[in-house]
Amino acid sequence: REYFQLMSNQVFQLESGYWDKSVADRAHVLWFSADSKREREDFWFLGVILGLAVNNNIPGLDARFPLVLFKKLTDFSGEFTLEDLQEVHPSSATSLKAMLQWKPSADDEVFEDIFCLTFTISYADEGNEVKEVNLHPSGEEVEVTMQNRGEFAKLYIHWLLDKSIDGPFGSFKKGFRRVCDSLIFSILTPSELQQIV
């Protein structure tokens, strides 16, 4: 138990370079940094540490993870929701919810004028460099309309919670599964797994 406490004091801190600082500041959870300078093997090792904690039933790691992380670890086959996004990126979830709940007026042009969106998103990396990502082929040319706003939200959520962290999380999951790849583990729900940690 003491070993895990020492390890958590090292790797589950923002200064370790694994975690997205803006997510920690806004959502108060640990989430993978898409632009981490850490090696993929480091994320694998991090997964092994969490796997050992779960496998040995050692609760109390000094880390707060969102439920969606455990959904991803248990091979969740559904789609990520606004509630999942709310745990990690609350301001993005609020904006998407407002867009999806916006009531139509007489024409689509009002929606397009208010939201001014295409299937391209911009974000600032750890060094505050602005990067653009197409959520759809030719994303910068496809306007978000009343008819396709649901598709935009779905793609945006998927990018934020899955594609943007694919490399770090993929290595983390392999490390976790190296330790926790048994029948007992496969029957745990994401909520049960979160409670163990």
Side-chain angles (χ1 to χ4, degrees), residues 121-141:
I121 57 169
S122 300
Y123 73 98
D125 66 10
E126 293 285 332
N128 286 327
E129 183 181 330
V130 176
K131 296 184 177 183
E132 287 196 355
V133 175
N134 283 334
L135 299 176
H136 185 280
S138 304
E140 68 278 351
E141 297 169 10

Side-chain angles (χ1 to χ4, degrees), residues 27-117:
H28 309 291
V29 295
L30 292 178
W31 192 249
F32 299 90
S33 172
D35 300 309
S36 176
K37 305 297 185 241
R38 300 296 298 238
E39 298 291 327
R40 294 297 180 245
E41 293 81 17
D42 295 340
F43 285 96
W44 181 87
F45 181 67
L46 187 63
V48 168
I49 292 169
L50 187 65
L52 287 169
V54 168
N55 195 49
N56 293 303
N57 197 19
I58 301 175
L61 287 180
D62 188 19
R64 184 165 182 257
F65 294 111
L67 181 62
V68 69
L69 176 119
F70 299 100
K71 283 184 177 182
K72 291 171 67 68
L73 282 174
T74 57
D75 293 328
F76 172 72
S77 60
E79 291 183 3
F80 298 116
T81 65
L82 279 172
E83 289 77 23
D84 295 327
L85 186 63
Q86 183 73 38
E87 285 187 290
V88 180
H89 296 282
S91 58
S92 295
T94 300
S95 297
L96 285 176
K97 188 175 182 180
M99 179 195 72
L100 291 169
Q101 291 179 343
W102 190 80
K103 299 290 184 205
S105 62
D107 57 40
D108 255 359
E109 290 178 22
V110 174
F111 177 87
E112 292 166 21
D113 289 343
I114 289 173
F115 291 98
C116 301
L117 295 170

